[in-house]
Amino acid sequence: MELSDLRIFTAVVHEGGITRAAEKLNRVQSNVTTRIRQLEDRLRTRLFDRQGKKLILTPAGRTLLDYADRLLALADEAESALHDKNPRGLFRLGSMESTAAVRLPGPLSAYAEKYPEVVLEMRTGNPTQLANALLAGEIDAALVAEPIAEAKFDWIVAFEEEPVIVTSHDHPAIDENSPVPRTVIVFEHGCPHRRRLEEWYAGRKDLPERTIELGSYHAMLGCVLTGMGAALVPHSVISSFPEKERLRVNHLPTGQNTLRTLMIWPKNVKSAKVEALCGVLEDLGN
C-alpha cells in the first residue's frame, strides 16, 4: 500500500465521489476508478458500496480512512520537517561521560532555552561506541575526543581539554625524572584519556604494575584521594570534585597536554538540530 493510493482513496471520500476527486487530483476519472479497485484488490476487501452513482464507505473503508488520514498527515509533517530550518523534534546526542558531566550543562541549557521545540535525549559512551552508534543511525551527533575517521564524519571543535595526571596530595610530584605511578585508575579500553596515559607511559618506556578500571570520573578521583593509584583526567573534571584541594595535579609535557573534543555527525548529513547546536557551541566558545 503506497501513500499515493491513500491520497486517492481519501480524496474520493472527502470530495464525495470519483468525479470531484479526479478534478482535485488532476487525474482522469478512469485512473481514479482503477486505483480504487486496485487498492481494494490489494487489501482483499471492499472499501465502498456502490449505490447508483454514489459511493458509500463500508465499515472496512471507515477503518482505513482513520489510518489513512493519520498516515498522510504524518507524511506531510515529515516532509515539512526535512525542509524546516527551525529545529524541532527529538535530538539524540551522544557524549563522553566527562564531557556530559562537566562541559555540556551550560550549552545544553542555552540550546533548550533557544529551541524549546527540540526534545534532547542523551547517551554516554566512549568514542568508538558513539561513532558506531552514529553510523548505525541510533544517534544524530556525538561529542568525542580526537582522532576520528574523517572520511565518515563531519565535525567542529567543541572544547579543548588539558589532560592531567592526578594523585593524592601525599604522592610525590611527577616530573620527567621521577618514578612513574605503579597503579593507574582508568576507564575501559576505548577511552581517549586512558589511551593518552598509555602513550605517556610508553614515552617513559615503562608500564604500570596494576590497572584498575572504573566507570565514572568521580569514582576514580575518590580512589585517587585514598592513595589507591593515579589517574589521567581532563583538568575541567577536577573543578567539580568536592575535595579537589586534597589532590595533586601533575601536568603533561608539551605535545601531550592538549586533547580536543569534537562534535561529529555523519558525513554530509547536517540536520537543523545539529546545525543549531554547532551555533550554540561556537557562540559560547567566543
Side-chain angles (χ1 to χ4, degrees):
M1 186 165 51
E2 299 178 359
L3 289 178
S4 59
D5 295 329
L6 297 181
R7 292 196 188 279
I8 292 172
F9 167 71
T10 57
V12 171
V13 176
H14 295 314
E15 296 299 319
I18 296 290
T19 301
R20 293 180 63 180
E23 292 174 356
K24 180 178 178 63
L25 298 170
N26 196 28
R27 292 172 179 263
V28 297
Q29 293 183 36
S30 60
N31 176 263
V32 174
T33 300
T34 299
R35 293 291 293 273
I36 292 295
R37 286 175 179 167
Q38 289 174 341
L39 180 60
E40 290 179 322
D41 290 343
R42 189 174 298 115
L43 296 176
R44 302 177 189 174
T45 188
R46 285 185 301 105
L47 300 175
F48 296 97
D49 282 329
R50 292 161 178 82
Q51 298 179 1
K53 293 185 177 181
K54 291 186 177 181
L55 296 179
I56 308 299
L57 273 177
T58 65
R62 285 194 292 273
T63 298
L64 179 62
L65 180 63
D66 180 51
Y67 284 102
D69 283 338
R70 284 187 282 164
L71 285 169
L72 291 172
L74 189 61
D76 290 341
E77 181 183 336
E79 185 174 351
S80 176
L82 290 175
H83 301 288
D84 192 350
K85 297 301 182 182
N86 296 315
R88 67 182 76 242
L90 181 64
F91 184 15
R92 304 164 301 168
L93 183 64
S95 174
M96 298 182 299
E97 193 263 352
S98 60
T99 303
V102 178
R103 292 292 195 174
L104 283 183
L108 292 189
S109 177
Y111 186 92
E113 183 176 353
K114 191 171 184 179
Y115 305 106
E117 294 186 71
V118 175
V119 178
L120 282 162
E121 183 179 279
M122 177 66 68
R123 175 193 293 197
T124 59
N126 64 46
T128 300
Q129 293 167 337
L130 295 172
N132 289 337
L134 264 179
L135 295 176
E138 297 170 4
I139 55 177
D140 303 304
L143 290 127
V144 301
E146 57 185 347
I148 61 167
E150 294 195 17
K152 297 179 180 179
F153 302 109
D154 289 325
W155 56 275
I156 64 165
V157 177
F159 311 105
E160 189 169 284
E161 301 286 1
E162 181 192 3
V164 294
I165 298 175
V166 289
T167 63
S168 66
H169 200 273
D170 295 335
H171 191 284
I174 298 171
D175 58 36
E176 60 183 10
N177 299 314
S178 65
V180 298
R182 302 325 305 169
T183 299
V184 294
I185 305 167
V186 296
F187 271 118
E188 63 186 353
H189 283 290
C191 169
H193 303 105
R194 177 173 181 165
R195 184 166 57 245
R196 180 58 56 89
L197 184 59
E198 290 169 347
E199 292 170 353
W200 180 78
Y201 270 90
R204 299 289 293 264
K205 296 182 171 55
D206 208 336
L207 289 171
E209 295 174 358
R210 185 177 179 218
T211 299
I212 301 170
E213 290 189 0
L214 292 177
S216 81
Y217 280 109
H218 275 209
M220 292 168 65
L221 292 175
C223 291
V224 168
L225 199 63
T226 67
M228 190 179 295
L232 186 143
V233 302
H235 197 281
S236 58
V237 169
I238 300 172
S239 63
S240 63
F241 187 63
E243 299 190 72
K244 59 187 176 183
E245 301 301 327
R246 296 173 58 195
L247 296 171
R248 182 184 294 278
V249 175
N250 303 273
H251 299 276
L252 295 177
T254 301
Q256 293 183 302
N257 61 348
T258 58
L259 194 60
R260 296 190 303 176
T261 299
L262 311 179
M263 177 174 162
I264 65 173
W265 57 92
K267 200 79 172 177
N268 300 321
V269 183
K270 192 177 187 181
S271 69
K273 290 170 286 193
V274 171
E275 187 166 359
L277 183 54
C278 288
V280 168
L281 291 171
E282 290 170 351
D283 288 345
L284 294 177
N286 292 333

